[in-house]
Structures are given as C-alpha cells and as structure tokens.
Amino acid sequence: MSMSNPNASIPVTVITGFLGAGKTTLLNRILTEKHGRRIAVIENEFGEVGVDHQLVIQSDEEIFELNNGCICCRVRGDLIRILAKLQQRRVKFDHVLIETTGMADPGPVAQTFFTDEEVKESFVLDGIVTVVDAKHVGLHWDDMREVREQIGFADVILLNKTDLVPPAELEKLEARIRKMNPMAKLHRTENATIDLDKVLHIGGFDLKRALELEPDFLEAAEHEHDHDDDEHEHGDHHEHEADHHHDEDVTSVGINTPGDLDEKKFSDWLGTLLRTKGQDIFRMKGVLSVKGRDMRFVFQGVHMLMEGRPDRPWGQEARHNTLIFIGRNLDRKALNEGFKACLA
Amino acid sequence: MASQLRPIAFRWHGKLDDFITSVAWSPDGERLAAGSVSGQVAIYDVNGGRAVHLFEQAHADGCDAVAWRPDGKALATAGRDGMWKLWDAADGKVLAEHEAGALWAEHLAWSARPIGDRGHLLALGAGNKVTLWTEAGAAAGAAMTFPRTVVDVAWILGGATLAAAYSTGVSRRDPLTGAEERAFPARDPVLSMAFSPSGKWLMTGNQDCTIHVWNTDSGSEMHMRGYAAKVRQLAWHRGSRWLASGGGPAVSVWDCSGRGPEGRMPTILEWHTDQVSALHYQPDGDWLASGSRDGGVAVWLPTQRQTLVTGAKISSGVTRVAWSPSGKLLAATGEAGEVQVLEVE
C-alpha cells in the first residue's frame, strides 16, 4: 500500500505551535531569507504574514470526515480546495508552507496528504515543524491537549525563546519533550532563528529516511522503557518527584529487538493494533527484519494510515527490528509483548 | 460509431500564458472573455478571434473569474490579488477597482434581472463574504457573511435571488436586505452548487465524491454516492429536467422530472478517458458539452439518450466549456492557456 506518490513534486511543510510560540516569526524568516524558492503560504485565518512577493492565502480550518466518521478519515477540506488551485500553475511553487492555528490538530492536515487523490498527485508532505514557546509552554501543556499533540506529531521541534529561560529549566523542558517525542529533531532557537535546511526538505514522511532518526532516539526510548520498568516497582512516586507534573498522556514507545518477524503474525498484529488503537497513534516508523526476506522492510504511518515496502538488503548488517510509536495513552507493555509475540 | 459523429469546425483559437480558470461569452455573443492563472485577461472578437484587449496583469497571482455586465459593455474580473475590477469593453480602461476583502477574490455573478431600483447587481464571493456591486462598480449594501469560505455564488429563481454555497451548506439570501431566506445545511463538504432553473431542485457536488439533492418544494433530501471523484461539475438543462454531473471520467445525467432522481439510474455518458473537468448545456438547446483532463471535448444529446454527437481534442486538459448564447459556438479552454472556438456542423 502506498500513502504517497513518489513523483509528486511540491513539498509541503506544516508549521504548528501554540498561540504566540513563534510560528509567524518562523514563517516570515523563511520567506525573507534569500533562498530563491518560490513559496506559497497557507496561513490560518488569524495569520499575519507580512511579506510581499510571496503568495499568501488564508484558510479556515474545515475538517471533514471522509466516510464513516473515524478519526483517521478526517481531512482538511480547505487545504484540498486551495492546493487544487495552486497546482493549476504551469510554473509550480517550489514549496508550500501551512501555518495552523494554535489549537489545530495536525492529524487531519497530515491525513489530507495521504488520502486525497488530487492532492497526492502534486504535493508531498515534507514535515511537521512544531514551535514551542520555552517560556510559556509550562502554562499550557498540562491543560492543552493540542500542545501535546503538536509535539507528538512533529518531525522537527523548535524550542523557541530560549533566551528567556534559565539553562536548567531548558534541560527539563527538553527532557519532557524528548519523552513525548524522541523521533523529532529538536533545536533550541531564539526568535525562531534556524537554518532553513533544518526545517525544509527534511523528508519526515519519506520511507527512504524512515530511520534517519536522532542517533540517540532509541536510547531515549529505551531509557524511557527502563524508567517505566522502574515505575512498575515504585508506582508513580518516582516520576512525580522528578518532574512535578502529571503522567504524560502523549508519549513514545521504542522497540529494538534482534530476530526475525513472522510476516503473517506481524501483519495481523499491526492490523489489529491500528484498527483498535489507531486513533491514539499519532506517528509510527520502523525498520523490520522479516523471516525469509533478504531486504529490510521499512514502514511509517499516521493514525490508521500506514505504508511500507522493502528497502535494501541487510547485507552484512545484523538483522534487527527498530520501531517507534508516538501517541496518546500508549500501552508500553502490551506493545512490547505484542511485538515480541510476532517473532518467528 | 465514429463515422456517425458530426464534423467539428475549429473556427479560431487564442492563447494565454497559463491555465484558463474562467471564460464568458458577452450577452450578444460577439465577444469572448477568458482569464488565466497567469493573471492575463483577454477579450476576443468572435469574428476571427482577434484579441480586442489583452490585459497582461489584470490580477497578480491569477485571475479566477470573468463576468460580463448584462449590457455587454463592461467586464468584471476577480483574482488572487484580492481585487475585483470592472473594465470598459470598448476602450479597455478600468472603470472601477476594489479590494474584495479577502486574499483571493474567486467568484463573480451578475443578476439576470434588475434588483429593486438598483439595476443589475454583481455578486462577488471572496473569503467567507459575498458583497454586491452596482453596474457602475460601486458598493451596494453591506457584506453578507457566511460560516465558511464561499465556494460558489449564483443568482437563482429567475435571477433576482442570491444563493451562496460554502463548505457546510447553501444559503439563499434576499439581495436587498442580505437576510437569509432559507438555509440548506450540508453534512458533506460542498464544492459546487446548482439550482434548477425552476428553483425546485438544489444539488451540491461534494468533496467526498457525492451529490446531495434537495427538493425545495417538499423539503425532502437525497444523497447520491458512487462517484469516482469529487463532483465539481454540475450543469442543468434549461427545462429543469436533466442534471449532468462530473465526478469521474463518465458524465452522469439524472432525470429530475416528477419525484426526482431517487430510485432512477442516471444515463452514463462514456467517452472521456480521464476526469470530466467541465460541463455546460446549451442555453437554448439540448446539447450538453463536456471537457476532460485528457483534452477531450464532447457534445452529447442526452435528453434523447443518444450517445455522442461529436468529440475532439485540444492539446492540454480542458478547464472550461461554454456555449455561446445562441448555442452555435462552443468555447473550450485548456490547462496550457488554449482558447478554442468550435462549431458542430
């Protein structure tokens, strides 16, 4: 199954973040930099991009459910309409930036690029960039589900306004973000100052780059794993003492296991998992070692939408399975056990 | 079968720089206006196809709509620079230009009849608003606001009542007061709207590859599924009996006589090899023109269940088809900027 069209030419970057985090600053920075790219910006109805000579269009966040009303079939009708008009040009845009409102759920935005046939013809989702206000995020993220979702969905996280926060506080913020999403590349920024190649053309949904993750991502996930084991012995006490906040609902589960998978068992397990827990899985990626196959199998997904294919031969590399799930209320133990039961 | 097709005469052609978004015949059929995403607007002389006017940058970032004032002496245009303009069709000068109130000004429609003592009014859809303008290009009344971005605007019921479609419904408005006369809430994301000339039927073409139907007399609704693609194209036969729809490579024509299309099978017209991208019924006749992304232009006589009358190709995907007021000439426009004027012999 293929979610995206490899020939689609125009990359799309989604910029999310809570109100005041610095989304518009980042947008304006991208637009004013002398990069020679022709960029179209789709900003939310409250946006205020102030750059001439770039195409800017405002949209209202029109979410609709494609068929049976399941969360995974929710897409953004406004984006579909606007993108259809943008692709009419013979000289296409080099890049499209979508700025969401602070309260936006990135799920329907992402799903639009994997389910709408016309959108898939011309556009490919390059990545989700989430701007986090280091100074104020602490006020929001326990109460605002959206803040945690936006972090969970991200390929790149800019921890912005670091100049307003003492280093020790930054370390804690970063640790908490890492727990929620160890897959994203995290950059500390002031005034959203960042090299464009760290936010554009990052291939966040590109299978070829499925596991070009931060080198320490599994370490972070594994660490989380150990920490979790710890909790089984000591209950919640340890976490509260360390971080003074509630248990995270958005979190990640990393699995790193040698051995070969039984193809049928794994396929059944993943199918059931997505059908029953897909609403809670924001992102997933992985490289799998399948019994009887010489090639690595790579996959990635958003909610219930999943794509995967053989990648390259294992060759001399030790065969192993590396995967990560990011989502809400993930059952770490069940995921680990379920996966291990698929080993041949 | 091919031997039975009527021959087509290519009368003349024009060329703009890019994808043609909009095309309109002047009321007397003597002029054809076309607008492109390149921002160009051209006015052609129907006799020979000379461009009487070519406005190179009518709208920066693209023109989305062209509409002749009912007297045929001026052309309204709107585009992605957020402006609408009124051009003198004789000397090409700008008679009026205004900001539309949104980043894109996408929809234009002149009332078919004078509205009260205000003359013909131009309805302009931009963002979630519709504004009205006089024949001289002055603002007429306050903006009407809708819950979502307006996707279609039309004058219905003989041309004196306004209707606007937005993603979550259709609203019928009194143009003098802006008051909502009737609301048609939709579950499905609406892309296009078509009231039958009689006013009895309202159809919306939807993003989820369906058509929704309201019988405005009885208030009953029905839903038509099974389309292969989004339904952007809807075209009514002048007699209000036949509704043609796109939504895939086939054209489906529904019989709306009596109780309407419920329980009936549409006539399926198959010739195109890619999505249908344009539909238009002759204003005064029974021929239906269709255009496709494969570049095909076809003419059908579906009212008598006859198959293809004729078919031809232009060089790129068809974006619009439009019969001249007399129904004698057919304009077909293309993704690469082609303007072709044909005649079925």
Side-chain angles (χ1 to χ4, degrees):
Chain A
M1 174 195 167
S2 179
M3 282 165 68
S4 50
N5 168 11
N7 302 317
S9 48
I10 307 170
V12 178
T13 299
V14 178
I15 299 176
T16 72
F18 203 61
L19 187 68
K23 296 188 297 281
T24 309
T25 312
L26 174 63
L27 253 178
N28 280 325
R29 200 166 279 289
I30 295 171
L31 294 177
T32 46
E33 199 135 314
K34 297 212 183 319
H35 43 59
R37 295 189 183 106
R38 194 168 149 71
I39 295 176
V41 179
I42 302 173
E43 61 172 1
N44 67 65
E45 52 197 313
F46 313 110
E48 44 186 32
V49 170
V51 181
D52 291 339
H53 312 301
Q54 298 285 358
L55 190 128
V56 179
I57 174 71
Q58 281 178 330
S59 77
D60 31 19
E61 295 183 336
E62 298 172 4
I63 294 174
F64 76 88
E65 287 160 357
L66 266 182
N67 28 46
N68 51 9
C70 99
I71 194 171
C72 311
C73 301
R74 289 165 74 208
V75 297
R76 286 276 301 270
D78 55 322
L79 295 178
I80 294 174
R81 270 198 329 269
I82 291 168
L83 291 168
K85 296 191 88 160
L86 290 181
Q87 65 81 34
Q88 292 171 343
R89 293 162 180 276
R90 181 166 40 85
V91 180
K92 305 294 185 196
F93 291 96
D94 299 311
H95 211 105
V96 176
L97 300 177
I98 297 172
E99 179 193 9
T100 71
T101 65
M103 303 300 281
D105 177 356
V109 182
Q111 284 163 187
T112 301
F113 292 90
F114 300 121
T115 54
D116 189 276
E117 293 303 323
E118 287 174 10
V119 169
K120 280 162 71 175
E121 260 178 52
S122 307
F123 299 93
V124 59
L125 182 57
D126 180 57
I128 297 174
V129 177
T130 297
V131 188
V132 176
D133 178 343
K135 173 84 177 164
H136 295 109
V137 69
L139 298 174
H140 305 309
W141 64 5
D142 288 324
D143 305 330
M144 296 295 188
R145 179 174 52 84
E146 294 82 0
V147 173
R148 302 190 299 275
E149 283 175 356
Q150 290 169 357
I151 290 170
F153 266 100
D155 295 289
V156 173
I157 294 169
L158 302 191
L159 188 55
N160 194 31
K161 307 193 184 180
T162 52
D163 47 327
L164 305 179
V165 179
E169 187 68 20
L170 280 178
E171 292 297 330
K172 278 167 102 178
L173 285 176
E174 214 168 274
R176 188 169 172 191
I177 291 170
R178 277 265 155 260
K179 267 181 74 178
M180 297 163 88
N181 183 345
M183 174 191 91
K185 292 196 165 58
L186 195 150
H187 305 284
R188 294 184 182 186
T189 58
E190 295 173 19
N191 281 319
T193 305
I194 181 103
D195 290 342
L196 290 193
D197 58 14
K198 295 204 165 67
V199 288
L200 304 184
H201 299 287
I202 54 177
F205 295 82
D206 186 347
L207 276 179
K208 276 184 283 202
R209 295 162 75 169
L211 275 207
E212 273 182 30
L213 300 157
E214 290 283 298
D216 62 345
F217 106 90
L218 273 172
E219 211 174 290
E222 288 305 301
H223 172 78
E224 166 89 20
H225 188 152
D226 295 336
H227 174 90
D228 213 53
D229 284 348
D230 229 57
E231 275 183 349
H232 286 296
E233 287 161 39
H234 307 294
D236 286 344
H237 182 66
H238 172 86
E239 174 150 300
H240 273 271
E241 219 170 41
D243 295 333
H244 302 287
H245 59 67
H246 305 294
D247 279 339
E248 218 65 85
D249 63 338
V250 173
T251 184
S252 60
V253 174
I255 298 173
N256 191 14
T257 304
D260 289 345
L261 285 170
D262 181 290
E263 197 167 345
K264 168 93 171 56
K265 274 190 204 163
F266 177 74
S267 163
D268 290 349
W269 174 73
L270 190 65
T272 306
L273 178 71
L274 296 186
R275 210 160 46 243
T276 55
K277 307 281 183 199
Q279 302 205 355
D280 288 333
I281 296 172
F282 300 162
R283 301 281 302 266
M284 59 185 163
K285 286 186 178 188
V287 176
L288 306 172
S289 164
V290 181
K291 188 175 166 54
R293 306 273 179 187
D294 294 337
M295 308 278 273
R296 306 185 336 159
F297 188 86
V298 290
F299 77 99
Q300 70 98 12
V302 175
H303 284 312
M304 280 183 204
L305 305 170
M306 201 278 276
E307 65 176 340
R309 63 155 190 265
D311 166 40
R312 58 172 168 80
W314 283 102
Q316 299 301 310
E317 198 183 335
R319 295 177 69 115
H320 63 280
N321 304 281
T322 311
L323 55 162
I324 183 167
F325 296 93
I326 297 173
R328 189 189 296 115
N329 303 323
L330 299 181
D331 186 337
R332 182 178 312 281
K333 191 156 168 277
L335 282 170
N336 273 286
E337 287 174 357
F339 182 81
K340 282 181 182 143
C342 301
L343 289 170
Chain B
M1 171 157 150
S3 60
Q4 296 164 13
L5 296 187
R6 305 265 289 259
I8 286 184
F10 286 82
R11 288 293 173 226
W12 54 265
H13 64 91
K15 180 81 167 65
L16 297 182
D17 284 345
D18 206 342
F19 191 108
I20 296 192
T21 54
S22 48
V23 65
W25 290 92
S26 63
D28 63 5
E30 291 295 311
R31 296 279 186 273
L32 181 73
S36 151
V37 291
S38 68
Q40 290 174 313
V41 169
I43 297 177
Y44 298 100
D45 181 349
V46 72
N47 302 303
R50 181 180 64 95
V52 182
H53 296 292
L54 177 60
F55 310 125
E56 282 288 354
Q57 272 293 299
H59 296 281
D61 290 320
C63 170
D64 262 329
V66 296
W68 289 93
R69 200 169 66 187
D71 67 1
K73 291 180 176 157
L75 180 75
T77 64
R80 300 182 195 176
D81 54 356
M83 305 286 293
W84 87 270
K85 299 181 182 181
L86 188 66
W87 309 79
D88 186 315
D91 65 14
K93 291 202 172 107
V94 174
L95 297 170
E97 58 183 313
H98 297 279
E99 288 189 359
L103 289 170
W104 282 359
E106 300 182 70
H107 311 283
L108 289 173
W110 286 98
S111 65
R113 294 207 308 245
I115 305 300
D117 56 2
R118 301 188 193 181
H120 294 89
L121 292 182
L122 175 71
L124 163 69
N128 66 343
K129 292 192 170 53
V130 172
T131 47
L132 297 178
W133 305 84
T134 66
E135 291 171 28
M144 289 171 253
T145 304
F146 297 87
R148 294 288 180 183
T149 301
V150 171
V151 296
D152 212 347
V153 174
W155 293 88
I156 59 167
L157 301 175
T161 294
L162 190 69
Y166 46 95
S167 66
T168 53
V170 173
S171 175
R172 213 172 76 193
R173 301 283 178 116
D174 177 341
L176 288 170
T177 64
E180 183 166 78
E181 294 177 338
R182 192 159 170 187
F184 302 91
R187 265 186 332 222
D188 322 286
V190 173
L191 280 173
S192 56
M193 141 191 94
F195 278 88
S196 64
S198 65
K200 178 180 175 183
W201 299 102
L202 164 62
M203 314 283 194
T204 57
N206 304 322
Q207 284 205 7
D208 60 353
C209 310
T210 62
I211 285 185
H212 199 79
V213 183
W214 285 264
N215 179 333
T216 69
D217 291 348
S218 69
S220 68
E221 299 178 35
M222 69 195 95
H223 203 65
M224 281 140 28
R225 298 171 200 281
Y227 285 93
K230 292 171 199 138
V231 187
R232 287 204 176 81
Q233 300 76 29
L234 296 171
W236 276 102
H237 179 255
R238 64 199 158 101
S240 293
R241 179 169 176 189
W242 306 99
L243 176 92
S245 55
V251 179
S252 313
V253 183
W254 296 90
D255 184 348
C256 300
S257 59
R259 283 178 47 252
E262 191 162 26
R264 289 175 165 153
M265 290 299 289
T267 303
I268 305 285
L269 307 176
E270 289 180 302
W271 182 71
H272 297 298
T273 58
D274 200 345
Q275 313 281 7
V276 169
S277 49
L279 286 176
H280 193 219
Y281 259 110
Q282 275 179 321
D284 223 8
D286 299 325
W287 281 355
L288 170 71
S290 62
S292 160
R293 287 180 58 183
D294 64 9
V297 179
V299 175
W300 316 84
L301 189 50
T303 46
Q304 295 172 20
R305 295 199 170 251
Q306 277 196 15
T307 52
L308 202 56
V309 173
T310 191
K313 288 257 181 188
I314 66 170
S315 54
S316 68
V318 176
T319 64
R320 295 284 181 271
V321 289
W323 291 103
S324 63
S326 69
K328 190 162 172 276
L329 298 174
L330 178 67
T333 61
E335 292 176 2
E338 305 95 324
V339 180
Q340 283 282 4
V341 172
L342 329 167
E343 186 173 355
V344 181
E345 294 180 329

